[in-house]
Amino acid sequence: MKDYQSLVDITLNKLKLSIEFLEITKDLKNKANEEIFEDVDAKLDERQEIIQIIQLLDSEFLTLFEKLKQEEDFEKNIVNYPKLSDYITHIKDNFRQAYEIDQLILPILEIELENVKKNIKKSRNEAIVSEKYAQESIKKMTGASFGIFIDEMK
C-alpha cells in the first residue's frame, strides 16, 4: 500500500508543477502581448526547468506503476486511491490550457524573431557599408590610407 501512496504523492507533485507551469505560461502570454520580450526568455527557461523535473517524476511514476501492475490485486487496490485519477485529470487540463495559450502566443514570438533577424541583417549591412565607404572617403580626401597610431612613451 505504501507504493500506491507513493504513486499518489508523485502525481500530486506533478499536479503542483503543472499549476506552476500554467501560471508561467499565462505570464508569458502577458509579456508577449505587452511586447516585453526580454522577460519572455526567462519565462521559457523557467518552464524548461519544470519540464525537466516533470520528466523525472514521470520516469519514477512509470517504474513504480509497472511494478504495481504486475501484482494480481492491482485493479482492486488502485481503486482505493481515487485522488490519483483526479490529479491526473487536473494535470492533463493544466497542460491542455498551457498548450492553447502557446498556440496564441507562438505567432507573436515568430513575428518578433523575424524582426530581430531583419535588424541584425540591417546592422551588419550598415556596418559593412560604413566601414567600406569611410575608408574610401578618407583615402580620396588625403590621397592615402588613413590610420591612427598611438605611441605610448614610458
Side-chain angles (χ1 to χ4, degrees):
M1 292 302 138
K2 182 182 175 198
D3 286 340
Y4 287 94
Q5 187 57 47
S6 292
L7 279 181
V8 173
D9 293 342
I10 292 168
T11 307
L12 179 59
N13 286 337
K14 186 173 175 180
L15 174 61
K16 290 175 184 175
L17 289 168
S18 73
I19 291 168
E20 186 178 346
F21 187 88
L22 180 58
E23 291 305 312
I24 292 169
T25 303
K26 289 176 181 177
D27 196 27
L28 182 63
K29 178 184 174 195
N30 292 337
K31 300 295 183 193
N33 286 335
E34 295 170 10
E35 296 183 0
I36 307 174
F37 296 108
E38 302 81 35
D39 295 345
V40 168
D41 194 40
K43 295 293 174 194
L44 291 173
D45 288 342
E46 287 178 46
R47 284 184 6 157
Q48 185 59 42
E49 288 175 18
I50 290 173
I51 289 170
Q52 289 171 339
I53 296 168
I54 287 174
Q55 287 175 334
L56 292 173
L57 290 174
D58 283 347
S59 176
E60 191 177 335
F61 180 91
L62 285 174
T63 301
L64 188 55
F65 185 80
E66 289 299 320
K67 175 186 161 196
L68 291 172
K69 203 167 135 180
Q70 301 302 318
E71 296 178 2
E72 287 181 24
D73 55 349
F74 170 74
E75 290 187 22
K76 191 166 77 173
N77 288 333
I78 197 77
V79 294
N80 294 326
Y81 298 90
K83 288 195 180 248
L84 185 62
S85 177
D86 292 342
Y87 292 160
I88 292 171
T89 301
H90 289 298
I91 291 166
K92 287 180 181 179
D93 187 53
N94 289 338
F95 283 116
R96 180 193 52 75
Q97 289 179 52
Y99 176 79
E100 289 172 359
I101 293 170
D102 282 348
Q103 296 308 304
L104 294 173
I105 62 174
L106 200 56
I108 296 169
L109 297 178
E110 287 174 349
I111 289 169
E112 180 59 18
L113 179 62
E114 286 304 313
N115 289 338
V116 169
K117 286 179 182 178
K118 286 176 187 175
N119 287 337
I120 290 171
K121 187 175 181 178
K122 182 180 175 185
S123 293
R124 283 186 191 150
N125 289 341
E126 287 174 355
I128 290 168
V129 168
S130 177
E131 181 181 320
K132 180 174 175 50
Y133 288 108
Q135 287 296 324
E136 286 184 15
S137 316
I138 292 170
K139 192 173 184 178
K140 285 179 185 175
M141 289 189 309
T142 62
S145 295
F146 181 73
I148 297 174
F149 296 97
I150 300 174
D151 186 16
E152 293 183 23
M153 296 184 67
K154 296 184 182 184

